[in-house]
Amino acid sequence: ADCRQVLPFLSRVDLLLTDPPYGIGAATKTFQNPKKRGAAKVESRDYGNEEWDKEPPPRWFLESAQEIADVAILWGGNHYGLPASSCWLVWDKDNGENLYADCELAWTNMEKAVRKFKWKWHGMLQENMGDKKENRVHPTQKPTALMRWCLSLVPEAQTVLDPFMGSGTTLVAARLEGRKAIGIEISERYCDAAVKRLAQKTLF
């Protein structure tokens, strides 16, 4: 469903934890081609060529989503023109030498200091290359470990909302942490992917 249509019918939640489109064209083949960033070691995965990341969600919608949550964590917060915050979250992706972003930023309304989380997430290379290596099915998919870290910063939050669910990483993290979560996603393809992930007996 379109989260803009669903949001007015939702009850209050403890935490808004989401990764909205940044508006940088990450869903296009041009952006996904690592050869353009001097980082091609193997053939990149084909996620298709879509337009859902051609522009960020309007600020008014992000503000309305925050109004029903006690705490908000918005990845890509530097793209949305949000007000000043004392607590930004920094994800150090440990990408190495290339033209991809070294880090991603999340805006929060928490009254804490800036926090950093380091987790390699560069194509086929991941922080955990053992049995728990994640299958990436979405071009801007976040690691489950990152979302679990976010949840650890808000231990009192028992209900979590992700209105831009994508492939369901926030919901997977919430389930692993024993929290309740609501996910909304406009793409049926990625809703199906989220359902499959949550149906697995072993989550990571």
Side-chain angles (χ1 to χ4, degrees), residues 3-81:
C3 57
R4 294 171 295 183
Q5 298 174 358
V6 176
L7 200 68
F9 298 97
L10 296 181
S11 300
R12 190 165 188 81
V13 298
D14 299 321
L15 172 63
L16 172 68
L17 173 56
T18 191
D19 182 33
Y22 296 178
I24 59 175
T28 64
K29 287 183 179 294
T30 300
F31 186 94
Q32 295 165 22
N33 183 359
K35 292 182 179 179
K36 293 185 177 296
R37 291 170 170 76
K41 294 183 179 180
V42 296
E43 189 70 22
S44 61
R45 182 187 295 252
D46 185 0
Y47 294 102
N49 192 49
E50 302 176 298
E51 295 188 351
W52 52 260
D53 192 36
K54 65 180 181 180
E55 59 186 21
R59 178 170 167 173
W60 67 262
F61 175 76
L62 296 177
E63 290 176 342
S64 65
Q66 293 172 48
E67 288 176 358
I68 68 167
D70 294 335
V71 179
I73 298 176
L74 302 176
W75 284 99
N78 50 312
H79 294 279
Y80 310 133

Side-chain angles (χ1 to χ4, degrees), residues 55-116:
E55 59 186 21
R59 178 170 167 173
W60 67 262
F61 175 76
L62 296 177
E63 290 176 342
S64 65
Q66 293 172 48
E67 288 176 358
I68 68 167
D70 294 335
V71 179
I73 298 176
L74 302 176
W75 284 99
N78 50 312
H79 294 279
Y80 310 133
L82 296 169
S85 171
S86 65
C87 181
W88 285 80
L89 305 185
V90 181
W91 170 29
D92 181 350
K93 302 165 78 170
D94 194 17
N95 275 343
E97 296 295 327
N98 57 69
L99 298 181
Y100 285 103
D102 292 333
C103 300
E104 290 192 34
L105 303 175
W107 178 93
T108 86
N109 62 355
M110 296 188 290
E111 295 182 357
K112 298 181 179 182
V114 172
R115 295 287 181 258
K116 185 178 81 168

Side-chain angles (χ1 to χ4, degrees), residues 147-186:
M147 292 310 199
R148 294 185 76 176
W149 174 70
C150 291
L151 291 172
S152 75
L153 299 175
V154 196
E156 70 278 9
Q158 294 302 308
T159 55
V160 183
L161 169 64
D162 186 351
F164 299 93
M165 179 179 66
S167 59
T169 302
T170 300
L171 272 68
V172 170
R175 181 172 166 183
L176 288 168
E177 295 298 322
R179 321 284 183 96
K180 295 180 180 179
I182 301 166
I184 309 167
E185 171 57 42
I186 198 169

